[in-house]
Structure formats: structure tokens, C-alpha cells
Amino acid sequence: MSEPWPLVATGSAARRAIRDPGPLAVSLAFYGVVASVLATLWRTAAASHGGALAGYSSAQFVWYIFTSEASIMALNPRQIELTGEDIATGAVAVELLRPAPVLGVRIATEVGRCLPRLMGCALLGAVFATVMVGGPPRPAALFLAAPSLVLAVTCNLTAQHAFAGAAFWIRDARSTWFLYQKLVFVLGGMLLPLQVLPAWLHGVAAVLPFTAMAYAPARLASGHLEPWLLALQLGWLAVLAVVARTVFAAGERRLQVVGG
Amino acid sequence: MSIVADGLTKVFESGRGRRRRRVEAVRAVSFSVDKGERIAFIGPNGAGKSTSIKMLTGILFPTSGSAQVLGMTPWRERRALTRRVGTLFGQRSQLWLELTPRETFRMLGAIHGIDQAALRRRVAELGELLDAGELFDTPVRSLSLGQRMRCELAACMLHDPAILFLDEPTIGLDLLAKQRFRELLVRLNEERQTTVLLTSHDVADLEHVAQRAIVINHGIVIYDSEVAVMRRTLLSTKLVEVALAGPAPSPEIAGVTFTQVTETSLRAVVDTTVRPIKAVLDAVLVELPVTDISVTDPPLEQVIAEIYAMPST
């Protein structure tokens, strides 16, 4: 019996990332510093508002930030750019010569590449948060945050591929990366919980897919037992997969017409 | 028939309005290839070789014309076709740098739906055939280009393809690695009856691998013939460069024309149909104070120019 290629792709990429511990160590160190600074800022802000802000206590803010940062820092920061380069230079054409969908293999591979970093960040974040404010606000909710983190990374990678697919037409996808990054930072809840935003902006963010990429796991880890967030992530993953697939199918067709 | 191309044409268009550019990369290319043939598709850079291969593997839609590869229309049945053909682009790797080739083979095996036990057997078999078994457990980034190309060849042979499309597979290889790679291709073809269609701008690939040559230039097939016939008519000259220890009179040797003579060097064109290259070299070494000597093929452009000059057949 043959092995399922998505599992082999994910496993191979994860092994590849582990065998190159230098970048893994650097990204963990960077994560530790950035997440600690942000967590301290929000912890102080909550403390100065009588111990809670927008419904989050100081301890909840700390767990929120360590989780939201983990969900984003697990990814290669230049993923859109790299995928866009592969498309623009025609390197992706070689992948058309395999009997498997280009997009599927790429996403499975990237998820595998991110997993060791995600696990490292999540563990490091849990240790730091525990040292700063004690154990998780609600262990049952933290238990749900684990699969939510994997879904967050998968949603993010799928959306990034949809954005990078612009390179089939515009040759340089770097501009889309700048836009995308800012949307995830603010509307995805990476820098702050959505409840901190003005009501109208919170309303806008709530109907966008970016919430599935940072806010959902962070909300769970901060002690909010809201299992529907996992369903929301799965829903967005399905939508993003359809969008990315449509973009790649159209892009591949264009590549077949105009060449790489 | 393994491959039938009929009037394949590819026009690339870019820009808009006055800046619109139209490049005819391939113009009405027609040829057919039988099972088990070894074909060299040769021509200078930009001749249309890679574009033709891309259409035959389904990566590119043609602007007009038709093609059948193993009974399939490549651009309509690309995914089904990838299960039956292997493709190697000399300038694009399909191996992952951080992994060993064996790990990449596992991934490719899964993509091709190859049974795990069958994959292990196949990898062992290819390791033996390509004399590369010991390379399969070395990280790709540690392999030399020649070693990597042997592993690339194994990667595209994993699913036992009926046709191998090789786009400039020897580019960048040193002389020994090129020679070895060519021998492997011939062995693969002879042992497994794999049809080989190879593009190159190296005349030696044509001489040592192919049974038949299709020469393409400016997108048009300008010559299609058995290599034996081609060799007799077009590859019958060699260029010889000799470095001398001191001044010496140019010897008179039948079939040799000296094109440049100085006190310390000679350049000559040898017509091997008049006198074999070995006999010419023997004579030169006996009659002149030689310090260095080299023999090269005429550049492909010259061969193609000769093809242009030929009366149509």
C-alpha cells in the first residue's frame, strides 16, 4: 500500500526543519523576546485599568499574547514572497509534472515546515506565561487551543498561497505581502484581542478570515471556553481552500498559456 | 508511436497597445517518435527546444497544432500523463536540498501512489542501475552536480515511465560527469526500452546518446535524420589546436586545413572522412614539437549553419 502523500509531505518538511536547528533557535529566541515585551505591555495596561481591560485580566492578556504571537511566528515571515517568486520565476512549472495538486503539496509541505516552530513557540510561550502570571486561566480551554493553533497556521498558509497566487498575474507579490501582514497583525488579533478595537472595527474583523489565524487560538488559551471558534476556523479553512484553489487553477491555466 | 507532434506552434504575447510584442517560439513543429527511440532535440539557445518539451509534457498549451504522447493530449490530460512519463529539467531540481534523495523518493513515491515495498525495490534497482545507491543517503546539498543529476534521473524514473523528457540534463556538468550521464541514458534505454527525448545545445550529447537528431532553430525543425547519417554528412569535421615549443613548418596532411599558424601555435580543421582524427593526431605528434593539443567539435551554430546550407531533402 502506498503512503498518503499529504502525510509524507508534512512529515518530510517537519524533519527537514528539525535538521536545520539554527533558524529554529533564532525564531524561538525572537518569539520569546517579542511576545514577552508585548505581554508585559498589555499586562501593565490592564493593571492600570483596575486589573482588567476589554474583559481580559492581566493574566489572560499574557496567555493571549503568547498564543497569538506563536500562531504567527511559527510561519516563515516571507512565505508569500517565496511562493510568489517560485510562481514568477516559473519554478512552479516543475511541480505541474507530478500527479498531485501543486497547491495541496505546497500547503502540506509548509504546514510540516511550520510544525516544529509552532510546537517550540507554544511550549516556550506556556513556560513564559506560567512564570509571569501562573498557570492557564482555564485548562480545558487551553486544551482546545492546541488544535486551534494548528488550524490557525493552516488557515494562514492557505490564505497566503491565495495572496501569493497574484504572482501569476502581477509578477511581484511582495506588495500583497505587506498588505496581508498588516491585516493579520491588526484584524487577525495578533497584536491585541479584537475586543480592544473600537466596536465598528471589531465588527469588521469578526467577519474576516484573519480572526481564524491568531485570535481564535489566543482567545481559547486566554481562558474562554468557546469551542465554536474551532468550527469557525474549519469554516474559514474550507472557504480559503476554495479561494486558493480557484486562484491556483486560474494561475496554472495562465502559466500554461503564457509560459513561466 | 510514443510521441506524435503535428504542426505544434507556440506564440508568446506580452505588453499592450503599441508595446505589444509577439514572439513565435515554436512554428509548426511536426515529428513522431517510436517506442524505445533515443532522440536528441538540438538547437542553440532560444531555438524553441524547451518550449516544445513543455508542450509535449502538458505544461504549456500550444497556440495551434496537436500532439499525442502515449495516446494522450498532454495539455488536456497532464496529470494522467505525468504517471507515464518522467521529466528532468537540467536547471530545475526536483530534489529537496535539506533531505537525502531517498527521503525525496519516498515523497515522490507517495505522490505517484507507489506501494511502499515496491518503492523500496525500485529505489534499490535504480541505485544499482545508475550506480548511485550510496548517494541516496547523502543530503542533496552535499552532492556534486554530477551526483545530483544521477539522483534527479532516479527521481524521474521512480514510476517506471515509458518516456523520459530531458531538458538540457548535462548542462553545467564537467566532462567526466557528462560522459557518465550519457552512458546511463543509453543503458536505461537499452535495458528498459524507455523512449528518451533529450534537448541539448551540446553536439556531444547528440553523438553519444541519440540514434536520431531533430535540429530546431528559430522555432522551426530544420533537420530530422538518423545520427549515423548526420555524422557522415555534418559532423565530419574536428577542430584541432596545437601549442608548439618553437617555430615549425606546417606539415602537409591530407584532409587537414590550417586556419591559423603562429610561431607557437596552430589551428586546423580536420575532415575525418578524408583522414581519421587519430591518424591526424599521430602525424602531428611525430612531425611537430607539440607541448599541448586539444580536439573539439565544431560549435553547434556551425553545424546548424551547415544544415541551413544543405539542399532540402
mmCIF file of all heavy atoms in Angstrom, chain A residues 135-165:
data_model
loop_
_atom_site.group_PDB
_atom_site.id
_atom_site.type_symbol
_atom_site.label_atom_id
_atom_site.label_comp_id
_atom_site.label_asym_id
_atom_site.label_seq_id
_atom_site.Cartn_x
_atom_site.Cartn_y
_atom_site.Cartn_z
ATOM 1 N N GLY A 135 -0.385 29.488 36.018
ATOM 2 C CA GLY A 135 -0.927 28.528 35.052
ATOM 3 C C GLY A 135 -2.027 29.111 34.189
ATOM 4 O O GLY A 135 -2.467 30.258 34.385
ATOM 5 N N PRO A 136 -2.511 28.329 33.211
ATOM 6 C CA PRO A 136 -3.528 28.837 32.283
ATOM 7 C C PRO A 136 -4.816 29.196 33.018
ATOM 8 O O PRO A 136 -5.196 28.501 33.962
ATOM 9 C CB PRO A 136 -3.748 27.662 31.325
ATOM 10 C CG PRO A 136 -3.232 26.463 32.028
ATOM 11 C CD PRO A 136 -2.136 26.932 32.939
ATOM 12 N N PRO A 137 -5.500 30.264 32.559
ATOM 13 C CA PRO A 137 -6.723 30.688 33.238
ATOM 14 C C PRO A 137 -7.784 29.582 33.280
ATOM 15 O O PRO A 137 -8.550 29.489 34.225
ATOM 16 C CB PRO A 137 -7.202 31.870 32.390
ATOM 17 C CG PRO A 137 -5.993 32.353 31.666
ATOM 18 C CD PRO A 137 -5.135 31.157 31.454
ATOM 19 N N ARG A 138 -7.833 28.757 32.228
ATOM 20 C CA ARG A 138 -8.834 27.670 32.190
ATOM 21 C C ARG A 138 -8.225 26.510 31.393
ATOM 22 O O ARG A 138 -8.210 26.548 30.152
ATOM 23 C CB ARG A 138 -10.092 28.197 31.508
ATOM 24 C CG ARG A 138 -11.324 27.403 31.841
ATOM 25 C CD ARG A 138 -12.532 28.259 31.497
ATOM 26 N NE ARG A 138 -13.749 27.531 31.642
ATOM 27 C CZ ARG A 138 -14.930 28.047 31.403
ATOM 28 N NH1 ARG A 138 -15.032 29.300 30.990
ATOM 29 N NH2 ARG A 138 -16.030 27.323 31.548
ATOM 30 N N PRO A 139 -7.734 25.493 32.076
ATOM 31 C CA PRO A 139 -7.020 24.408 31.372
ATOM 32 C C PRO A 139 -7.831 23.756 30.253
ATOM 33 O O PRO A 139 -7.284 23.402 29.211
ATOM 34 C CB PRO A 139 -6.710 23.407 32.485
ATOM 35 C CG PRO A 139 -6.676 24.246 33.726
ATOM 36 C CD PRO A 139 -7.691 25.321 33.531
ATOM 37 N N ALA A 140 -9.145 23.610 30.422
ATOM 38 C CA ALA A 140 -9.971 22.957 29.384
ATOM 39 C C ALA A 140 -9.916 23.772 28.083
ATOM 40 O O ALA A 140 -9.836 23.211 26.983
ATOM 41 C CB ALA A 140 -11.410 22.822 29.871
ATOM 42 N N ALA A 141 -9.950 25.109 28.233
ATOM 43 C CA ALA A 141 -9.904 25.976 27.050
ATOM 44 C C ALA A 141 -8.526 25.889 26.396
ATOM 45 O O ALA A 141 -8.404 25.913 25.162
ATOM 46 C CB ALA A 141 -10.217 27.414 27.441
ATOM 47 N N LEU A 142 -7.491 25.777 27.243
ATOM 48 C CA LEU A 142 -6.119 25.664 26.702
ATOM 49 C C LEU A 142 -5.982 24.377 25.881
ATOM 50 O O LEU A 142 -5.301 24.329 24.857
ATOM 51 C CB LEU A 142 -5.104 25.671 27.851
ATOM 52 C CG LEU A 142 -3.642 25.695 27.418
ATOM 53 C CD1 LEU A 142 -3.286 27.033 26.776
ATOM 54 C CD2 LEU A 142 -2.702 25.433 28.591
ATOM 55 N N PHE A 143 -6.676 23.326 26.321
ATOM 56 C CA PHE A 143 -6.652 22.048 25.612
ATOM 57 C C PHE A 143 -7.189 22.224 24.181
ATOM 58 O O PHE A 143 -6.666 21.643 23.234
ATOM 59 C CB PHE A 143 -7.497 21.043 26.399
ATOM 60 C CG PHE A 143 -7.483 19.661 25.827
ATOM 61 C CD1 PHE A 143 -6.340 18.859 25.917
ATOM 62 C CD2 PHE A 143 -8.604 19.156 25.192
ATOM 63 C CE1 PHE A 143 -6.336 17.584 25.366
ATOM 64 C CE2 PHE A 143 -8.598 17.881 24.637
ATOM 65 C CZ PHE A 143 -7.455 17.098 24.732
ATOM 66 N N LEU A 144 -8.231 23.080 24.058
ATOM 67 C CA LEU A 144 -8.788 23.335 22.717
ATOM 68 C C LEU A 144 -7.860 24.232 21.884
ATOM 69 O O LEU A 144 -7.907 24.228 20.650
ATOM 70 C CB LEU A 144 -10.160 24.011 22.825
ATOM 71 C CG LEU A 144 -11.312 23.167 23.353
ATOM 72 C CD1 LEU A 144 -12.600 23.995 23.377
ATOM 73 C CD2 LEU A 144 -11.525 21.915 22.496
ATOM 74 N N ALA A 145 -7.033 25.003 22.582
ATOM 75 C CA ALA A 145 -6.143 25.931 21.864
ATOM 76 C C ALA A 145 -5.101 25.180 21.024
ATOM 77 O O ALA A 145 -4.625 25.711 20.017
ATOM 78 C CB ALA A 145 -5.448 26.869 22.844
ATOM 79 N N ALA A 146 -4.768 23.952 21.457
ATOM 80 C CA ALA A 146 -3.727 23.206 20.717
ATOM 81 C C ALA A 146 -4.160 22.918 19.272
ATOM 82 O O ALA A 146 -3.470 23.329 18.324
ATOM 83 C CB ALA A 146 -3.368 21.941 21.468
ATOM 84 N N PRO A 147 -5.321 22.238 19.049
ATOM 85 C CA PRO A 147 -5.734 22.041 17.646
ATOM 86 C C PRO A 147 -6.036 23.359 16.949
ATOM 87 O O PRO A 147 -5.842 23.497 15.730
ATOM 88 C CB PRO A 147 -6.998 21.173 17.756
ATOM 89 C CG PRO A 147 -7.466 21.313 19.149
ATOM 90 C CD PRO A 147 -6.251 21.583 19.981
ATOM 91 N N SER A 148 -6.495 24.333 17.744
ATOM 92 C CA SER A 148 -6.807 25.635 17.145
ATOM 93 C C SER A 148 -5.547 26.291 16.572
ATOM 94 O O SER A 148 -5.611 26.953 15.534
ATOM 95 C CB SER A 148 -7.446 26.536 18.202
ATOM 96 O OG SER A 148 -7.693 27.805 17.671
ATOM 97 N N LEU A 149 -4.408 26.104 17.236
ATOM 98 C CA LEU A 149 -3.148 26.666 16.730
ATOM 99 C C LEU A 149 -2.780 26.041 15.376
ATOM 100 O O LEU A 149 -2.352 26.733 14.454
ATOM 101 C CB LEU A 149 -2.015 26.401 17.728
ATOM 102 C CG LEU A 149 -1.782 27.483 18.794
ATOM 103 C CD1 LEU A 149 -0.768 26.998 19.827
ATOM 104 C CD2 LEU A 149 -1.295 28.782 18.168
ATOM 105 N N VAL A 150 -2.953 24.719 15.278
ATOM 106 C CA VAL A 150 -2.632 24.044 14.003
ATOM 107 C C VAL A 150 -3.569 24.545 12.907
ATOM 108 O O VAL A 150 -3.146 24.827 11.781
ATOM 109 C CB VAL A 150 -2.737 22.502 14.164
ATOM 110 C CG1 VAL A 150 -2.482 21.806 12.832
ATOM 111 C CG2 VAL A 150 -1.750 22.010 15.218
ATOM 112 N N LEU A 151 -4.861 24.707 13.256
ATOM 113 C CA LEU A 151 -5.812 25.229 12.272
ATOM 114 C C LEU A 151 -5.468 26.667 11.882
ATOM 115 O O LEU A 151 -5.598 27.050 10.714
ATOM 116 C CB LEU A 151 -7.242 25.187 12.854
ATOM 117 C CG LEU A 151 -7.961 23.851 12.774
ATOM 118 C CD1 LEU A 151 -9.284 23.922 13.535
ATOM 119 C CD2 LEU A 151 -8.238 23.484 11.310
ATOM 120 N N ALA A 152 -5.017 27.441 12.867
ATOM 121 C CA ALA A 152 -4.660 28.843 12.593
ATOM 122 C C ALA A 152 -3.529 28.913 11.567
ATOM 123 O O ALA A 152 -3.589 29.680 10.600
ATOM 124 C CB ALA A 152 -4.238 29.535 13.887
ATOM 125 N N VAL A 153 -2.514 28.084 11.779
ATOM 126 C CA VAL A 153 -1.367 28.072 10.869
ATOM 127 C C VAL A 153 -1.803 27.592 9.481
ATOM 128 O O VAL A 153 -1.397 28.147 8.454
ATOM 129 C CB VAL A 153 -0.255 27.167 11.453
ATOM 130 C CG1 VAL A 153 0.762 26.809 10.413
ATOM 131 C CG2 VAL A 153 0.409 27.863 12.631
ATOM 132 N N THR A 154 -2.672 26.580 9.442
ATOM 133 C CA THR A 154 -3.124 26.048 8.151
ATOM 134 C C THR A 154 -3.970 27.088 7.404
ATOM 135 O O THR A 154 -3.814 27.276 6.190
ATOM 136 C CB THR A 154 -3.938 24.745 8.368
ATOM 137 O OG1 THR A 154 -3.201 23.909 9.245
ATOM 138 C CG2 THR A 154 -4.175 24.013 7.068
ATOM 139 N N CYS A 155 -4.858 27.775 8.143
ATOM 140 C CA CYS A 155 -5.657 28.843 7.511
ATOM 141 C C CYS A 155 -4.732 29.916 6.960
ATOM 142 O O CYS A 155 -4.907 30.382 5.823
ATOM 143 C CB CYS A 155 -6.583 29.505 8.543
ATOM 144 S SG CYS A 155 -8.036 28.544 8.933
ATOM 145 N N ASN A 156 -3.761 30.315 7.770
ATOM 146 C CA ASN A 156 -2.844 31.386 7.368
ATOM 147 C C ASN A 156 -2.073 30.996 6.104
ATOM 148 O O ASN A 156 -1.975 31.772 5.156
ATOM 149 C CB ASN A 156 -1.877 31.653 8.531
ATOM 150 C CG ASN A 156 -1.245 33.026 8.447
ATOM 151 O OD1 ASN A 156 -1.158 33.596 7.371
ATOM 152 N ND2 ASN A 156 -0.799 33.555 9.568
ATOM 153 N N LEU A 157 -1.551 29.781 6.091
ATOM 154 C CA LEU A 157 -0.771 29.340 4.927
ATOM 155 C C LEU A 157 -1.639 29.261 3.676
ATOM 156 O O LEU A 157 -1.215 29.624 2.581
ATOM 157 C CB LEU A 157 -0.136 27.978 5.209
ATOM 158 C CG LEU A 157 1.094 28.015 6.112
ATOM 159 C CD1 LEU A 157 1.472 26.617 6.555
ATOM 160 C CD2 LEU A 157 2.262 28.657 5.370
ATOM 161 N N THR A 158 -2.881 28.796 3.869
ATOM 162 C CA THR A 158 -3.779 28.689 2.711
ATOM 163 C C THR A 158 -4.086 30.080 2.164
ATOM 164 O O THR A 158 -4.041 30.305 0.946
ATOM 165 C CB THR A 158 -5.084 27.969 3.134
ATOM 166 O OG1 THR A 158 -4.729 26.758 3.795
ATOM 167 C CG2 THR A 158 -5.960 27.649 1.947
ATOM 168 N N ALA A 159 -4.364 31.021 3.089
ATOM 169 C CA ALA A 159 -4.644 32.398 2.644
ATOM 170 C C ALA A 159 -3.404 33.007 1.979
ATOM 171 O O ALA A 159 -3.512 33.704 0.969
ATOM 172 C CB ALA A 159 -5.060 33.243 3.839
ATOM 173 N N GLN A 160 -2.230 32.724 2.533
ATOM 174 C CA GLN A 160 -1.009 33.285 1.948
ATOM 175 C C GLN A 160 -0.795 32.770 0.528
ATOM 176 O O GLN A 160 -0.332 33.497 -0.346
ATOM 177 C CB GLN A 160 0.208 32.916 2.813
ATOM 178 C CG GLN A 160 0.235 33.670 4.124
ATOM 179 C CD GLN A 160 1.630 33.700 4.733
ATOM 180 O OE1 GLN A 160 2.618 33.748 4.033
ATOM 181 N NE2 GLN A 160 1.688 33.665 6.044
ATOM 182 N N HIS A 161 -1.123 31.499 0.311
ATOM 183 C CA HIS A 161 -0.978 30.965 -1.046
ATOM 184 C C HIS A 161 -1.964 31.641 -1.997
ATOM 185 O O HIS A 161 -1.639 31.891 -3.158
ATOM 186 C CB HIS A 161 -1.142 29.446 -1.052
ATOM 187 C CG HIS A 161 0.122 28.730 -0.676
ATOM 188 N ND1 HIS A 161 0.529 28.573 0.626
ATOM 189 C CD2 HIS A 161 1.096 28.175 -1.436
ATOM 190 C CE1 HIS A 161 1.695 27.941 0.653
ATOM 191 N NE2 HIS A 161 2.052 27.684 -0.596
ATOM 192 N N ALA A 162 -3.172 31.926 -1.485
ATOM 193 C CA ALA A 162 -4.149 32.632 -2.330
ATOM 194 C C ALA A 162 -3.607 34.012 -2.698
ATOM 195 O O ALA A 162 -3.685 34.432 -3.858
ATOM 196 C CB ALA A 162 -5.486 32.746 -1.607
ATOM 197 N N PHE A 163 -3.022 34.713 -1.712
ATOM 198 C CA PHE A 163 -2.433 36.036 -1.985
ATOM 199 C C PHE A 163 -1.242 35.905 -2.935
ATOM 200 O O PHE A 163 -1.095 36.672 -3.878
ATOM 201 C CB PHE A 163 -1.967 36.697 -0.679
ATOM 202 C CG PHE A 163 -2.989 37.602 -0.060
ATOM 203 C CD1 PHE A 163 -4.128 37.082 0.536
ATOM 204 C CD2 PHE A 163 -2.831 38.974 -0.070
ATOM 205 C CE1 PHE A 163 -5.086 37.901 1.107
ATOM 206 C CE2 PHE A 163 -3.780 39.817 0.490
ATOM 207 C CZ PHE A 163 -4.917 39.270 1.089
ATOM 208 N N ALA A 164 -0.364 34.915 -2.652
ATOM 209 C CA ALA A 164 0.838 34.743 -3.477
ATOM 210 C C ALA A 164 0.471 34.401 -4.915
ATOM 211 O O ALA A 164 1.214 34.699 -5.841
ATOM 212 C CB ALA A 164 1.726 33.652 -2.894
ATOM 213 N N GLY A 165 -0.700 33.800 -5.086
ATOM 214 C CA GLY A 165 -1.158 33.448 -6.427
ATOM 215 C C GLY A 165 -1.259 34.664 -7.339
ATOM 216 O O GLY A 165 -1.287 34.530 -8.561
#
